[in-house]
Amino acid sequence: MRTVSRSVGRTPLRVATAPAASRALSVRFFCSHKQHKQHKQHKRIPTTKAGINPGVLGALAAGALAGWYFYSGEPTPSRDSWRKVNFHNVYKDIAALLEDEDYDDGSYGPVFVRLAWHASGTYDRKTGTGGSDGATIRFKPESGHGANAGLDVARACLEPLKKKYPHISYGDLYTLAGVVAVQELGGPTVRWRPGRSDEKISANCTPDGRLPDAAQGANHVRDIFYRMGFNDQEIAALIGAHALGRCHSNRSGYEGPWNASPTSFTNFFYTELLEDKWVPKKWDGPAQYVDKDTKSFMMLPADIAFKTDPQFRKYVEKYAADQDAFFADFAPAFTKLLELGVKFPEDAPVYEFKTLE
């Protein structure tokens, strides 16, 4: 894992520094307070590392951005289809897709994390609905929810792997992509297991509004995460993934990265939140904050709540001071998120994948 200097976070110009880097996404656990506009199609140079036909990927991306979605042409995998999949090979093929200098900050990693998060973070423990089981995020209307703007890019990028591994479910593919991205960008080892099944129709799509609103404060954040079954410590650990990626004005309405190393999984979200002075951004967009010194980095209103709320702040201070502590708490919280509502087979194995480096 490449070491990222804290000093990088003080420079206005951002550079992709992590292996298989990726600040592609607007890795936002929080979504916009308004409906996102349809994003523009991004050109990407096809890769053959994963044994994928470049023409297929281009066609898939174009189709996804046109508002319709591709399927593998194979029968929908059953809950037992995972037994026919070599997940170590899938991991390697996802990792081979991460780097792309023509996409965002040079990587699809952050948008893969966001896809995994948004596919899973719709879970409601009271009703038992939502979550990654079923992969309803690929259907309208859920795919068109404002919080999911831009995720068609991630789904289209992964679609050739669905063709290559027809027995993998979309739910397993999307969540595994998030695990790959966290690990290959320098984050902790995240335990993952297969066994999700896929819905065949959109009837069970979750209603809009289950993901957090970036314009809100601590009470709203707790309402959203408590609904899923998280506590304050887990919430504070999960928000650390905002070290990755950036916001896009043509998706969420917000704009900018959280720090200078948006393709490296670090504890920089916490250090920047505490050490910088954050002031309201002067612009025509929604209310957000920028660092006073360089105005190169941003925080969302919901991010600031982790600095001002005493219960959240104690964890922010802990993770800012100790990246290992952050990694140790993030990994199980992220695994929990990806498994919400999933009824795994009793013999589903638990994987701890090794990174490619």
Side-chain angles (χ1 to χ4, degrees), residues 201-240:
I201 58 175
S202 62
N204 290 324
C205 282
T206 56
D208 201 358
R210 286 197 176 184
L211 294 169
D213 183 344
Q216 303 300 317
N219 289 339
H220 169 78
V221 172
R222 286 193 173 92
D223 286 344
I224 294 294
F225 281 88
Y226 285 3
R227 185 204 72 221
M228 291 185 273
F230 289 106
N231 59 36
D232 284 359
Q233 176 264 313
E234 293 168 320
I235 299 170
L238 286 172
I239 191 62

Side-chain angles (χ1 to χ4, degrees), residues 36 42 47 67 90 94 104 130 178 222 289 293 309 324:
H36 306 312
H42 292 274
T47 177
V90 179
I94 294 173
D104 221 13
R222 286 193 173 92
Y289 296 84
D293 291 341
D309 182 90
D324 289 340

Side-chain angles (χ1 to χ4, degrees), residues 126-142:
K126 291 184 179 180
T127 63
T129 59
S132 61
D133 202 27
T136 56
I137 196 172
R138 71 195 197 279
F139 294 124
K140 289 185 176 182
E142 189 173 340

Side-chain angles (χ1 to χ4, degrees), residues 237-260:
L238 286 172
I239 191 62
H242 275 184
L244 295 177
R246 65 169 59 224
C247 289
H248 302 77
S249 60
N250 63 342
R251 297 181 186 177
S252 65
Y254 301 102
E255 183 64 37
W258 283 267
N259 65 77

Side-chain angles (χ1 to χ4, degrees), residues 1 22 34 44 46-47 61 76 78 105 115 170 239 243 253 258 266 268 284 319 322 347:
M1 179 177 69
S22 126
K34 66 184 182 69
R44 78 180 297 270
T47 177
T76 302
S78 68
D105 289 314
L115 174 63
Y170 281 104
I239 191 62
W258 283 267
T266 65
F268 283 5
D284 294 332
Y319 299 146
D322 188 345
D347 60 340

Side-chain angles (χ1 to χ4, degrees), residues 166-230:
H167 295 291
I168 192 173
S169 67
Y170 281 104
D172 282 347
L173 180 60
Y174 294 166
T175 55
L176 181 54
V179 171
V180 173
V182 167
Q183 294 192 176
E184 294 299 318
L185 299 185
T189 299
V190 177
R191 303 180 76 186
W192 179 89
R193 53 180 168 165
R196 296 162 185 82
S197 60
D198 288 334
E199 291 285 352
K200 298 181 180 180
I201 58 175
S202 62
N204 290 324
C205 282
T206 56
D208 201 358
R210 286 197 176 184
L211 294 169
D213 183 344
Q216 303 300 317
N219 289 339
H220 169 78
V221 172
R222 286 193 173 92
D223 286 344
I224 294 294
F225 281 88
Y226 285 3
R227 185 204 72 221
M228 291 185 273
F230 289 106

